Amino acid sequence: MSLPPPTHDSGVVPNAGEFGIAWIVYALFGFGIFLWWPALFAVLVCHLRAGSPAVGFLASHYRWLARTFWLSLAGYVLAVGIILGGAWPLVRDILAQVKERGDWSVSTSLGLAWSSLFATIGAATLGGLLLFGVWCWFIYRVVRGAVRLADAQPA
């Protein structure tokens, strides 16, 4: 589902109700910094409201927030993929040793290759830094958009 093209100068001045909806969407994105479901609900509202002729320049805010959501989701998926991909050598070594021994008990000790440990630690560090970077970028986008909305300017 794509958003309509930008129409910053449509000449339509949004009414107070439209501004209220926009502020509610920004508040939901603000809660989305810590929880995932408010941002998911807010992006649905963004997609529904962006095409309305009554929103005027607020359509740019809805597009801004929708892009923020989808790009941050892509960043989070990439970061988790890096973490899981980096953990695979360690998981593979553990599974190979369990298969080789034929049993698994609490007293079983594992011999892990240093290369597997370093790959996992490196990927976890890289993925964690990427997660943090995407989270900071998400906060920046929400705050910047809210400031522009408070000034009654397009996003």
Side-chain angles (χ1 to χ4, degrees), residues 82-83 86-87 115-129:
I82 289 172
I83 292 170
S115 61
S116 297
L117 289 172
F118 286 131
T120 301
I121 292 169
T125 302
L126 179 63
L129 288 173

Side-chain angles (χ1 to χ4, degrees), residues 14-148:
N15 62 29
E18 293 296 339
F19 273 101
I21 292 170
W23 279 115
I24 290 170
V25 169
Y26 271 103
L28 288 171
F29 268 92
F31 288 122
I33 293 170
F34 304 106
L35 303 169
W36 66 270
W37 62 268
L40 181 62
F41 181 71
V43 79
L44 292 173
V45 173
C46 287
H47 282 290
L48 293 173
R49 298 300 302 161
S52 175
V55 297
F57 76 87
L58 294 178
S60 69
H61 286 275
Y62 294 133
R63 279 190 303 279
W64 173 264
L65 290 171
R67 287 183 187 128
T68 300
F69 177 84
W70 293 113
L71 291 174
S72 63
L73 179 64
Y76 287 135
V77 167
L78 177 65
V80 169
I82 289 172
I83 292 170
L84 293 176
W88 176 245
L90 191 61
V91 171
R92 184 190 60 226
D93 286 353
I94 291 170
L95 291 175
Q97 288 184 24
V98 168
K99 181 180 177 184
E100 181 179 298
R101 293 184 182 159
D103 68 335
W104 177 262
S105 65
V106 175
S107 63
T108 303
S109 64
L110 298 172
L112 301 174
W114 283 105
S115 61
S116 297
L117 289 172
F118 286 131
T120 301
I121 292 169
T125 302
L126 179 63
L129 288 173
L130 184 58
L131 282 173
F132 180 71
V134 170
W135 185 69
C136 289
W137 179 81
F138 185 88
I139 293 170
Y140 160 76
R141 299 267 299 192
V142 171
V143 169
R144 181 185 179 272
V147 168
R148 302 275 298 174

